[in-house]
């Protein structure tokens, strides 16, 4: 193969790699969301990534940094799975439990600051961004009394993700 032929082949491969997949549009003419899939490799990165973003936001407002708390993570995971089973995002468990009940079941001895929940097809950072757009959910994240963070999710085979974020002191 000549140098010119090799250069043409490389250019064609490079352009092909840059080609975007066609965007599907919904009835309203807007792009349809693409479901975010949480891969096994991604699972370990979500908690620290969310913690880093939350602490960056809190630092900008002078609030102290949070630390991931395993008992809050466990309470968040249980509630995310339960919301999926109930097929609705709300703060009560299928057994009538409240967020306080759930963190106490996991052995968390601190005070609950708040719980944010979401039902979406978007990733963790898009979900955090949406929570930051609404005062009530932003207040849970930015409360200066908070010291601990719990974050978890449950992803259904359809791609729907049930997110739960807990803060405690």
């Amino acid at each position: 193969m000549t140098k010119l032929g090799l250069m043409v082949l490389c250019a064609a491969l490079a352009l092909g790699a840059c080609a975007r997949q066609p965007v599907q549009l919904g009835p309203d003419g807007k792009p349809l969301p693409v479901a975010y899939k949480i891969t096994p490799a991604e699972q370990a990165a979500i908690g620290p990534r969310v913690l880093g973003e939350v602490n960056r936001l809190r630092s900008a407002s002078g609030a102290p940094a949070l630390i991931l708390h395993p008992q809050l993570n466990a309470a968040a995971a249980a509630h995310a799975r339960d919301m999926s089973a109930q097929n609705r995002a709300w703060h009560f468990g299928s057994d009538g439990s409240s967020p306080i009940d759930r963190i106490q079941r996991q052995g968390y001895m601190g005070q609950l600051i708040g719980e944010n929940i979401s039902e979406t097809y978007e990733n963790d950072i898009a979900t955090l961004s949406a929570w930051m757009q609404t005062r009530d959910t932003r207040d849970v994240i930015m409360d200066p009394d908070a010291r601990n963070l719990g974050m978890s999710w449950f992803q259904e085979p359809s791609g729907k993700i049930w997110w739960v974020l807990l803060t405690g002191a």
Side-chain angles (χ1 to χ4, degrees):
M1 183 176 273
T2 67
K3 276 188 175 181
L4 180 58
L6 185 59
M7 288 186 348
V8 169
L9 177 62
C10 287
L13 289 173
L15 287 174
C18 293
R20 298 184 133 206
Q21 295 292 338
V23 175
Q24 292 184 334
L25 300 179
D28 59 0
K30 294 183 179 178
L32 291 173
V34 176
Y36 170 71
K37 282 296 206 187
I38 300 173
T39 65
E42 189 69 1
Q43 290 180 10
I46 291 173
R49 182 170 52 230
V50 170
L51 177 67
E53 283 299 308
V54 165
N55 282 338
R56 185 182 62 75
L57 294 165
R58 289 174 62 85
S59 174
S61 71
L66 301 181
I67 60 169
L68 280 176
H69 198 286
Q71 292 160 325
L72 291 179
N73 287 340
H79 191 52
R81 183 174 288 278
D82 190 47
M83 286 190 306
S84 171
Q86 295 181 71
N87 196 33
R88 68 176 174 180
W90 73 323
H91 295 283
F92 296 96
S94 56
D95 61 357
S97 63
S98 71
I100 293 171
D101 297 329
R102 292 189 297 275
I103 67 170
Q104 288 175 344
R105 280 185 200 153
Q106 296 299 328
Y108 184 73
M109 301 306 292
Q111 173 190 359
L112 175 72
I113 298 294
E115 177 183 69
N116 289 346
I117 57 176
S118 181
E119 163 190 4
T120 185
Y121 291 91
E122 295 180 326
N123 68 18
D124 50 309
I125 299 304
T127 302
L128 177 60
S129 178
W131 284 332
M132 291 302 291
Q133 300 302 313
T134 304
R135 183 174 182 197
D136 291 346
T137 52
R138 181 177 56 248
D139 287 352
V140 168
I141 295 165
M142 300 302 290
D143 190 305
D145 293 334
R147 297 295 181 266
N148 303 127
L149 175 76
M151 175 72 182
S152 197
W153 66 91
F154 177 75
Q155 186 163 37
E156 296 178 351
S158 69
K160 183 189 287 187
I161 307 170
W162 302 84
W163 296 101
V164 179
L165 178 143
L166 293 162
T167 56

